Amino acid sequence: MDMSALLNAPVAGPLSTIVKVVKEGEYKVVVDDGDKWITFRDGDASKNLSPQAIVLFSVLDEGVRKDLGREKVLVPMTIWMDVTESGTIDTSEGKNVSFGRLFEVAGIANLGPTFGDRVNALRGKGPFIAKVSQRADKNDPTVKYAEVKKVAKLT
């Protein structure tokens, strides 16, 4: 990026203060294939918070892209992860259900010997139908965020 061009670009009037987000509904999506298609966050034992994975889905609906004025519209899905005391993925019954469902929808529920094999195979998978909802910012209820709540196979 040319920082000089960025900083010397003329600006007429104030910049936008409202983020337009995807409306609630069901959309055709694919798992994004960009560099940050998945990110992991450490948990915080002092606050009893589990680690998280944030998977980005690219919305394929041209109307949504046009409405938001973007070439690519990404909506995150936050997956709370269950890990063992030794830090590995907990594969016991009732644990990591969100990943299990996502792997099943993607057709990779039995792929590879490691959790990483399945996670890496998600990149670019789809299309799927995603249920998108909105949530309000905890500090400012007028600010909304879109998030994927559920992913299903196309029928």
Side-chain angles (χ1 to χ4, degrees):
M1 176 179 351
D2 182 347
M3 290 303 292
S4 179
L6 176 72
L7 296 174
N8 291 314
V11 178
L15 297 176
S16 180
T17 60
I18 303 290
V19 176
K20 291 175 68 175
V21 297
V22 177
K23 295 177 183 171
E24 291 186 332
E26 293 187 348
Y27 300 95
K28 189 189 274 188
V29 299
V30 295
V31 176
D32 189 48
D33 61 357
D35 291 342
K36 296 182 180 181
W37 71 275
I38 190 168
T39 55
F40 292 94
R41 293 183 185 162
D42 287 334
D44 185 343
S46 70
K47 296 179 182 175
N48 201 26
L49 292 176
S50 297
Q52 302 170 16
I54 296 91
V55 179
L56 295 179
F57 289 88
S58 180
V59 177
L60 300 178
D61 187 311
E62 184 64 35
V64 171
R65 291 195 298 251
K66 185 176 180 182
D67 182 48
L68 298 179
R70 299 184 197 146
E71 285 184 35
K72 189 176 200 178
V73 174
L74 299 174
V75 181
M77 177 182 206
T78 301
I79 299 175
W80 292 88
M81 299 173 60
D82 299 297
V83 294
T84 65
E85 286 189 22
S86 63
T88 62
I89 192 78
D90 191 338
T91 59
S92 60
E93 191 67 28
K95 303 293 183 175
N96 291 297
V97 172
S98 294
F99 262 122
R101 289 178 178 162
L102 186 53
F103 293 154
E104 184 175 297
V105 167
I108 58 172
N110 295 309
L111 178 75
T114 70
F115 177 66
D117 291 331
R118 293 179 195 177
V119 168
N120 289 328
L122 279 174
R123 187 177 191 167
K125 283 285 190 189
F128 311 113
I129 292 295
K131 181 177 182 178
V132 174
S133 67
Q134 290 184 355
R135 67 173 172 81
D137 185 277
K138 66 181 178 181
N139 298 314
D140 182 352
T142 65
V143 175
K144 304 290 185 199
Y145 302 101
E147 52 192 7
V148 171
K149 288 297 188 183
K150 182 179 178 181
V151 179
K153 291 182 181 180
L154 286 174
T155 54

